[in-house]
Amino acid sequence: GPCAPEGIPPSPPPSPAGTGGAVVALEVVTYNLYWWNVGQNNRWGALYATIEGQAFDLIGFQECEDVSTVISNVPRMSGRFDSFAPT
């Protein structure tokens, strides 16, 4: 899209409906975890339960110090999701 990183060409626009292209439904969720606050108040169980209760195919985290900990403690994510963190 228009915000592609420098040196990477933008993605082409999606095909208009009716041109024979496959239609894919994708549920995307983003969370600001406030990692420091969750840790300070020991709210890990509430965090994991909130994420567990959401429907999504792709999830993004902000203010998260350890994505693998979240993945391993949310039952429907454990063993099914991979993570990527920019360096």
Side-chain angles (χ1 to χ4, degrees):
C3 296
E6 190 174 325
I8 298 176
S11 300
S15 299
T19 62
V23 175
V24 176
L26 184 67
E27 188 76 25
V28 179
V29 174
T30 64
Y31 275 107
N32 184 326
L33 301 183
Y34 300 102
W35 195 262
W36 62 271
N37 190 319
V38 173
Q40 185 176 36
N41 295 298
N42 197 25
R43 302 280 298 158
W44 300 109
L47 171 65
Y48 302 144
T50 299
I51 295 169
E52 177 73 13
Q54 295 294 310
F56 56 85
D57 300 298
L58 178 68
I59 188 167
F61 298 122
Q62 180 181 345
E63 291 191 45
C64 180
E65 292 180 13
D66 189 355
V67 174
S68 62
T69 295
V70 176
I71 291 172
S72 65
N73 283 285
V74 175
R76 71 184 206 87
M77 293 179 73
S78 185
R80 296 185 54 228
F81 279 74
D82 291 321
S83 65
F84 169 79
T87 55

